[in-house]
Amino acid sequence: EVHLVESGGGLVQPGESLRLSCAASGFTFSSYWMSWVRQAPGKGLEWVANTKQDGSEKYYMDSVKGRFTISRDNTKNSLSLEMNSLRAEDTGVYYCARDVGPNTLDFWGQGTLVTVSS
Amino acid sequence: DIQMTQSPSSLSASVGDSVTITCRASQSISTYLNWYQQKPGKAPQLLMYLTSSLQSWVPSRFSGSGSGTDFTLTISSLQPEDFATYFCQQGYTTPGTFGQGTELEIK
């Protein structure tokens, strides 16, 4: 059974950093693109970033380019999102999701809440 | 980026009704259109991909159609478990942008 479990969320002040992790199990992690999607409180879904199977390609939404870094460790079946220079508008639940292509997200974690507030 | 626009934003219906949700892309996306269902406090679930292909858990009362820029999700004979928020998403290019969502409520 596919399982994705996010961790690392919390309350931070504007300008601070946070690292999210996603532990994957139940499938061959290294065979899939992986994505991060976020959802501000009471709002819709927003695609954030994704990475190719071997990590050689990474893509980001415009508003996080240069601030967020997606990475993966296929030896540990783990996906990460390093978030720097956080802003209030980055607040939301962050989901990791398996991407079966193209941009089709067939399994999602339960999400981890990031709150950016002073 | 491709913009995705859903209508309506919210919809009230009764058990047994048939409803249709529309999704429009700002440019052609062929049939690279996905639908997700999200219930309160839960993660989204992939409902349908490539416009009309149902995930294995999805009952046949759900159907999808369209191509190019205009797409629809139809739910016939609504059941209590269908009341949720539905999002469309284009898979044609990265970023895979989502529609703003349609909240389907019980009348």
Side-chain angles (χ1 to χ4, degrees):
Chain A
E1 182 186 359
V2 173
H3 223 56
L4 298 168
V5 180
E6 301 93 337
S7 60
L11 172 61
V12 295
Q13 295 191 345
E16 293 187 338
S17 299
L18 207 56
R19 183 181 180 90
L20 305 183
S21 296
C22 173
S25 60
F27 66 103
T28 305
F29 181 73
S30 58
S31 296
Y32 292 87
W33 283 75
M34 294 295 295
S35 296
W36 287 98
V37 176
R38 69 186 183 186
Q39 187 169 34
K43 302 296 184 183
L45 301 170
E46 193 171 45
W47 181 93
V48 174
N50 68 0
T51 180
K52 194 177 178 180
Q53 288 91 333
D54 62 359
S56 62
E57 293 182 33
K58 302 175 184 183
Y59 299 94
Y60 301 91
M61 63 181 297
D62 284 346
S63 66
V64 308
K65 283 180 184 174
R67 299 189 299 123
F68 289 13
T69 302
I70 188 172
S71 61
R72 64 191 297 161
D73 185 340
N74 287 344
T75 66
K76 297 181 179 179
N77 292 342
S78 176
L79 179 72
S80 297
L81 186 67
E82 183 76 34
M83 304 185 295
N84 298 318
S85 303
L86 282 161
R87 306 168 181 169
E89 54 265 34
D90 295 318
T91 292
V93 175
Y94 283 70
Y95 297 100
C96 74
R98 188 176 79 168
D99 188 339
V100 293
N103 289 317
T104 300
L105 308 175
D106 71 337
F107 282 97
W108 298 58
Q110 85 290 346
T112 187
L113 177 61
V114 173
T115 304
V116 184
S117 175
S118 54
Chain B
D1 298 353
I2 297 176
Q3 306 304 314
M4 305 299 293
T5 304
Q6 282 181 242
S7 61
S9 296
S10 63
L11 181 57
S12 293
S14 301
V15 172
D17 286 352
S18 176
V19 298
T20 296
I21 299 169
T22 297
C23 182
R24 175 165 289 176
S26 60
Q27 65 184 76
S28 177
I29 58 170
S30 184
T31 58
Y32 293 101
L33 192 282
N34 305 317
W35 290 98
Y36 298 85
Q37 180 192 71
Q38 186 178 34
K39 296 184 177 179
K42 300 293 186 180
Q45 290 184 279
L46 179 64
L47 188 74
M48 198 178 302
Y49 58 98
L50 289 174
T51 298
S52 59
S53 296
L54 301 182
Q55 280 290 83
S56 58
W57 63 273
V58 179
S60 58
R61 61 181 178 273
F62 288 83
S63 64
S65 65
S67 68
T69 60
D70 295 311
F71 301 85
T72 59
L73 168 68
T74 298
I75 314 170
S76 61
S77 189
L78 278 167
Q79 297 301 301
E81 61 268 26
D82 300 335
F83 292 92
T85 300
Y86 294 86
F87 295 92
C88 65
Q89 182 215 17
Q90 63 84 13
Y92 187 72
T93 63
T94 298
T97 41
F98 292 88
Q100 80 278 16
T102 295
E103 186 176 7
L104 177 55
E105 301 173 315
I106 299 176
K107 186 182 290 183

